[in-house]
């Protein structure tokens, strides 16, 4: 049930239309909790029906005008309840790791090239996160909200650092495998 809570979080931060939410997901929340435009609109309807959000009155009535939403007290209470609740971590699922395990029994064809591709993708994501950190979290920006948001970004930086290190090590190990298939 995390997508509704991601939407509530975004709307508490700033009342928005569905399109604005989609753009914000693409630029921030989507780095760790993705959602399509359709999923966001479907959840907005459910959240409104549950009394957690409402459509803001239009400044000037116009046909086809985009609706903006804000969080109601019940929505803020639900978000606070969910935030305070304990949740166990979920098992990590990664197809690359599963493919590596399968390669041990059926051969390694194509794996080395994909490891290199993944390494490139993770390096680019790491660089993007580090750029966001420089831009959005300069020294002295240390309000409670900023510090918590920075912690979320640091999680992304640390995960991408892990993946780049692991993939580099995997490629080094891969190069030493006797009789490996070459890509």
């Amino acid at each position: 049930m995390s997508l509704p809570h991601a939407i509530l979080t975004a709307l508490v931060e700033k009342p928005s239309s569905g399109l604005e939410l989609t753009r914000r997901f693409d630029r921030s929340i989507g780095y760790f909790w993705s959602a399509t435009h359709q999923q966001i609109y479907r959840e907005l309807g459910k959240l409104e029906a549950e009394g957690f959000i409402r459509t803001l009155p239009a400044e000037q009535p116009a046909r086809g005008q985009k609706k903006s939403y804000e969080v109601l007290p019940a929505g803020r209470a639900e978000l606070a309840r969910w935030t305070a609740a304990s949740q166990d971590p979920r098992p990590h699922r990664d197809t690359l790791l599963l493919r590596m395990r399968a390669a041990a029994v059926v051969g390694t064809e194509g794996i080395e090239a994909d490891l290199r591709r993944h390494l490139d993708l993770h390096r680019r994501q790491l660089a993007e996160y580090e750029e966001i950190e420089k831009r959005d979290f300069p020294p002295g920006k240390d309000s409670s909200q900023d510090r918590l948001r920075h912690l979320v970004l640091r999680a992304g930086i640390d995960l991408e650092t892990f993946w780049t290190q692991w993939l580099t090590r995997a490629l080094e190990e891969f190069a030493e495998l006797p009789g490996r298939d070459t890509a």
Side-chain angles (χ1 to χ4, degrees), residues 78-97:
E78 168 56 21
L79 187 58
R81 182 209 59 78
W82 178 78
T83 301
S86 176
Q87 290 186 351
D88 292 334
R90 293 185 180 189
H92 180 73
R93 293 171 57 170
D94 190 288
T95 56
L96 178 62
L97 297 177

Side-chain angles (χ1 to χ4, degrees), residues 105-174:
V105 293
V106 298
T108 60
E109 186 175 336
I111 295 292
E112 185 175 10
D114 210 34
L115 288 170
R116 291 185 191 291
R117 186 179 71 80
H118 277 251
L119 179 57
D120 182 54
L121 291 170
H122 284 287
R123 282 180 174 156
R124 281 190 268 155
Q125 189 64 64
L126 177 58
E128 186 175 341
Y129 286 163
E130 288 172 337
E131 188 59 37
I132 291 169
E133 183 178 42
K134 274 190 239 172
R135 181 192 69 216
D136 293 350
F137 298 100
K141 190 171 183 182
D142 61 355
S143 72
S144 295
Q145 287 180 337
D146 289 331
R147 290 173 74 176
L148 291 174
R149 287 183 184 123
H150 193 193
L151 275 173
V152 173
L153 178 61
R154 283 299 321 171
I157 290 170
D158 292 347
L159 282 170
E160 294 304 327
T161 299
F162 161 79
W163 279 112
T164 57
Q165 290 172 349
W166 184 86
L167 286 159
T168 299
R169 187 171 39 243
L171 284 163
E172 289 166 357
E173 186 74 25
F174 201 89

Side-chain angles (χ1 to χ4, degrees), residues 15-95:
S16 305
S17 69
L19 180 58
E20 291 165 339
L21 280 172
T22 300
R23 289 179 180 149
R24 289 173 59 205
F25 264 74
D26 289 344
R27 289 189 319 262
S28 62
I29 293 172
Y31 286 122
F32 56 90
W33 198 268
S34 61
T36 66
H37 189 73
Q38 292 82 8
Q39 289 171 315
I40 289 171
Y41 273 96
R42 188 171 41 248
E43 288 302 327
L44 285 170
K46 290 177 185 177
L47 289 168
E48 192 169 26
E50 291 172 5
F52 292 155
I53 65 172
R54 73 175 181 122
T55 304
L56 287 169
E59 292 177 15
Q60 297 178 349
R63 189 169 152 84
Q65 185 177 13
K66 63 183 178 183
K67 292 193 239 179
S68 287
Y69 300 88
E70 71 176 351
V71 177
L72 295 170
R76 188 176 281 274
E78 168 56 21
L79 187 58
R81 182 209 59 78
W82 178 78
T83 301
S86 176
Q87 290 186 351
D88 292 334
R90 293 185 180 189
H92 180 73
R93 293 171 57 170
D94 190 288
T95 56

